[in-house]
Amino acid sequence: MKSKIIVFAVCLLGTHSLFSQNSIDLLTFAGQYSAPQSYKNNTPGLASERILNVNLKLPIVLNDKLIWYNEFSYFNFHVSNSEYIGDTVLNSMELHANILQTGIMYKFSEKKALVALFVPRLMGDLKKIGNKTFQFGGMLMYEKKVRQGLTLRYGVSLNQELFGPQLIPLLYVDWRIKKRWRIKGLLPIYLKIGYDVNERLRIGFHQVGLITSYDITDTQFSNDYIQRESIDLSLFSNIRLFDKVHFEARFGYSLSRKYTQYRKGSKVDFALPLVRFGDDRIQKNENFKDGAFINFRLMYRLPIVD
């Protein structure tokens, strides 16, 4: 029973089902590289994007019904340009995201549970740390096990971004359709459709879409911030290398990718995933084009035994 309770994983800005999982990725190292792309308008040169990620999960069982869940994620986003693009915008970007998710999961019954997480963040270039480098948010979700092989979760997340408050309605799905097929996702943030070829190999489709903001403290641009957004679609292959170590490769394409530079104080009234109310901000830079990417991940996966 304890092994079932201890296993639930929280993904970036989301959670996996505690009771339906049979494993947890305790530690993940990931890297992503995008092919250089030209800019959409008159900015010279090519832009290259590189992403690094480390994720650590630590659930702590307090009793039969209550877990204190902790997860730390670090992201590094690096954008470089092949040519000088002027002194009014950032010529390169080095953005850091440090995200802590901590909170509880309370089990009402075998089929119902509640997840409540506090999500503080340290977001920026981190050349200096100011009050705008800190962001605070949270997530609340209600879980229901509909039947064997299907768990749903309904909820909402709220974060105070540099561009204003962002509210995201959430629907979590963990659905074992057939013996080899599984759909798992926290919509609209991510979705994963997998097919188990055998005990060691899984292939499928993955989608992730995020909007985040970063404080710039560089002396020249200390009055600005960056809003990053992208929808990454990919095919993946996950293989168990040995024992508890897994390797995953993703090959895909980034849609609506933007690193938008705004002046601090430029805000929207309210933001939803696809809609922003009262958005009259003026963009300072130009966006580079969408493009292909490769992503490699190394995971330490702990299987759960009843």
Side-chain angles (χ1 to χ4, degrees):
M1 177 61 71
K2 276 196 173 184
S3 64
K4 286 186 178 179
I5 296 177
I6 201 171
V7 176
F8 74 104
V10 176
C11 200
L12 174 64
L13 301 177
T15 57
H16 289 277
S17 171
L18 167 61
F19 305 111
S20 59
Q21 281 206 170
N22 56 11
S23 64
I24 180 173
D25 293 338
L26 292 179
L27 183 62
T28 300
F29 297 96
Q32 180 168 311
Y33 177 77
S34 298
Q37 298 293 327
S38 61
Y39 285 82
K40 294 181 179 180
N41 296 312
N42 299 318
T43 300
L46 300 175
S48 299
E49 179 192 45
R50 184 203 69 208
I51 303 173
L52 300 176
N53 169 228
V54 179
N55 177 270
L56 175 65
K57 300 178 177 71
L58 181 62
I60 300 173
V61 176
L62 300 179
N63 56 49
D64 291 4
K65 295 182 177 296
L66 187 63
I67 294 175
W68 176 26
Y69 182 78
N70 300 279
E71 176 182 351
F72 175 76
S73 296
Y74 169 75
F75 290 87
N76 171 259
F77 300 94
H78 177 80
V79 176
S80 60
N81 296 287
S82 61
E83 296 186 27
Y84 181 71
I85 59 176
D87 57 5
T88 60
V89 297
L90 286 162
N91 280 267
S92 64
M93 301 182 191
E94 193 79 33
L95 307 176
H96 306 270
N98 297 272
I99 304 171
L100 174 65
Q101 298 180 92
T102 184
I104 63 169
M105 181 171 188
Y106 184 79
K107 179 182 176 183
F108 296 110
S109 67
E110 290 299 324
K111 293 187 176 182
K112 297 179 181 180
L114 182 71
V115 177
L117 298 176
F118 174 54
V119 188
R121 307 179 187 183
L122 190 67
M123 311 282 283
D125 59 8
L126 299 190
K127 293 182 178 180
K128 297 179 182 178
I129 297 178
N131 60 340
K132 294 186 181 298
T133 313
F134 292 93
Q135 299 177 17
F136 298 96
M139 177 185 298
L140 184 66
M141 300 197 76
Y142 171 76
E143 179 182 289
K144 182 178 181 180
K145 185 174 182 180
V146 180
R147 60 175 183 270
Q148 186 67 32
L150 176 59
T151 299
L152 298 178
R153 204 176 259 183
Y154 314 90
V156 65
S157 72
L158 177 66
N159 191 64
Q160 184 60 46
E161 301 283 350
L162 290 172
F163 55 79
Q166 179 173 227
L167 181 72
I168 304 178
L170 299 172
L171 173 62
Y172 173 82
V173 179
D174 187 353
W175 187 12
R176 173 70 72 174
I177 303 176
K178 293 184 178 180
K179 183 178 180 180
R180 294 180 181 269
W181 285 97
R182 189 170 195 171
I183 296 177
K184 182 178 290 185
L186 184 65
L187 302 172
I189 297 174
Y190 78 92
L191 176 68
K192 197 167 191 177
I193 303 174
Y195 175 77
D196 295 329
V197 178
N198 52 48
E199 292 183 354
R200 298 178 63 91
L201 177 63
R202 174 178 295 175
I203 60 175
F205 168 81
H206 185 268
Q207 171 268 326
V208 61
L210 297 172
I211 301 176
T212 46
S213 55
Y214 301 84
D215 182 31
I216 302 301
T217 59
D218 179 271
T219 304
Q220 187 176 357
F221 300 103
S222 59
N223 291 321
D224 295 346
Y225 70 90
I226 297 295
Q227 177 179 311
R228 182 190 184 273
E229 52 190 290
S230 182
I231 300 174
D232 293 349
L233 307 177
S234 62
L235 299 176
F236 75 88
S237 177
N238 183 299
I239 186 169
R240 179 164 58 87
L241 298 178
F242 52 89
D243 197 16
K244 301 176 180 65
V245 179
H246 289 244
F247 174 78
E248 182 169 305
R250 299 176 184 173
F251 302 90
Y253 198 87
S254 293
L255 300 175
S256 301
R257 179 177 53 189
K258 299 176 183 177
Y259 286 82
T260 311
Q261 187 171 343
Y262 295 109
R263 288 191 64 83
K264 288 176 184 173
S266 299
K267 295 186 177 183
V268 304
D269 294 334
F270 189 71
L272 293 170
L274 298 176
V275 182
R276 299 184 187 104
F277 300 95
D279 189 359
D280 56 0
R281 297 172 296 169
I282 298 175
Q283 181 175 339
K284 297 183 65 174
N285 62 344
E286 295 181 359
N287 298 312
F288 53 94
K289 296 179 180 178
D290 301 333
F293 69 85
I294 56 174
N295 181 298
F296 299 111
R297 315 175 73 80
L298 192 64
M299 297 160 285
Y300 180 81
R301 179 169 296 171
L302 180 67
I304 301 304
V305 180
D306 289 334

